[in-house]
Amino acid sequence: MTGEGCQHSSALVLFSGGQDSTVCLAWALSRYERIETVGFNYGQRHDIELKCREMILQKLPVNFAQWRDRLGPDHMINIPALSKISESALTRDVEIKMLKNGLPNTFVPGRNLLFFTYAAALGYRRDHHSLVGGMCETDYSGYPDCRDETLQTLRKALCLGTETDFSIETPLMHLTKAQTWALAEELGGTPLVDLIVQDTHSCYLGERGERQNWGYGCGTCPACELRARGFEDWRGSMADATTA
Ligand code: ZN
């Protein structure tokens, strides 16, 4: 679902401080009158992402006057059990590699199912029935909990289980990473692209060393490769459009 015909005036955005969830937050801010954000501390190997999300939440209302009055409280939920019961390269200090089942060991089983279930419980109390997340099944690592079918089936369970008309909005679901950069520019122009380059974090290894033109990161982990390639493709397509 991409929000067409959505009847809710407010939304709760699953916001991690990464590139995708930051674009999602901008997308929601441009559509809904009232936005709140929720983040999860699940024992990530690196807390740099959580520091980035605080910085972005501070900068957004300062740098984007059009969204200032829409951005409401942020909520952090601790789920320490997730890293204890899962063996993932995102929560343990192990090398990133492919598993026998074809999934990378960065997969945290059940993560997005839990996140949306917690978000629904919070949305129920805060009266937000649109839940927005940056999951994407185009350029992704094959995580089965990022699929549209998974999330819309979960939505049905959440609606039945709470007797509430929740929607799950995933505006990036069918976009490539290059299209996500383009969407960021469409929503917030160069200032938003600059904010994403400077302050969002995607690198699996938690590196913030030298700034590249696409942002900070090791440059070689799957998340950095995807981000860098998407950025170059987007810049390339803009150059093509200019010369055409
Ligand atoms: Zn990296």
Side-chain angles (χ1 to χ4, degrees):
M1 280 178 76
T2 51
E4 291 101 26
C6 185
Q7 69 279 40
H8 305 134
S9 62
S10 77
L12 180 63
V13 179
L14 279 67
F15 179 60
S16 70
Q19 176 185 359
D20 288 348
S21 69
T22 303
V23 178
C24 268
L25 179 53
W27 178 89
L29 283 164
S30 65
R31 266 167 186 75
Y32 294 90
E33 291 161 18
R34 194 167 63 92
I35 294 291
E36 294 187 13
T37 46
V38 58
F40 300 94
N41 189 342
Y42 59 95
Q44 294 94 320
R45 254 168 80 181
H46 313 288
D47 62 358
I48 183 77
E49 203 180 68
L50 299 177
K51 291 197 181 97
C52 284
R53 78 185 288 285
E54 277 175 31
M55 181 60 72
I56 296 161
L57 288 175
Q58 277 174 26
K59 283 190 178 178
L60 272 173
V62 177
N63 297 0
F64 300 87
Q66 71 273 34
W67 296 332
R68 189 171 301 148
D69 296 336
R70 296 185 167 200
L71 188 60
D74 177 45
H75 309 268
M76 274 303 292
I77 297 177
N78 291 320
I79 321 178
L82 194 55
S83 68
K84 293 200 172 66
I85 56 179
S86 65
E87 269 199 329
S88 161
L90 289 196
T91 53
R92 298 200 179 185
D93 191 10
V94 293
E95 192 188 341
I96 296 171
K97 59 179 185 188
M98 292 303 286
L99 301 173
K100 280 195 204 118
N101 62 5
L103 286 172
N105 66 344
T106 47
F107 176 56
V108 183
R111 181 172 54 165
N112 287 332
L113 307 180
L114 277 176
F115 285 2
F116 271 111
T117 304
Y118 276 106
L122 180 62
Y124 187 92
R125 172 165 68 84
R126 302 286 301 166
D127 204 25
H128 296 297
H129 299 163
S130 283
L131 311 175
V132 181
M135 297 76 195
C136 166
E137 64 174 38
T138 313
D139 273 348
Y140 77 143
S141 303
Y143 297 161
D145 63 341
C146 286
R147 288 187 193 132
D148 200 28
E149 186 183 0
T150 304
L151 296 179
Q152 293 311 322
T153 305
L154 175 65
R155 182 196 80 85
K156 195 172 171 188
L158 292 172
C159 291
L160 286 169
T162 57
E163 290 198 328
T164 302
D165 179 26
F166 282 111
S167 66
I168 290 184
E169 316 285 339
T170 51
L172 312 186
M173 182 57 75
H174 302 294
L175 302 187
T176 63
K177 274 284 178 287
Q179 288 171 322
T180 299
W181 282 107
L183 178 61
E185 195 191 34
E186 189 186 315
L187 291 167
T190 306
L192 186 61
V193 172
D194 289 346
L195 180 86
I196 287 168
V197 168
Q198 178 63 31
D199 292 306
T200 67
H201 184 84
S202 315
C203 176
Y204 283 153
L205 303 182
E207 286 198 13
R208 292 288 289 173
E210 202 175 321
R211 180 175 150 158
Q212 326 271 350
N213 56 357
W214 46 266
Y216 293 93
C218 71
T220 53
C221 78
C224 281
E225 278 186 357
L226 206 53
R227 177 169 166 144
R229 192 169 355 111
F231 188 84
E232 296 308 331
D233 289 351
W234 169 59
R235 296 296 288 262
S237 67
M238 287 202 305
D240 290 348
T242 320
T243 52

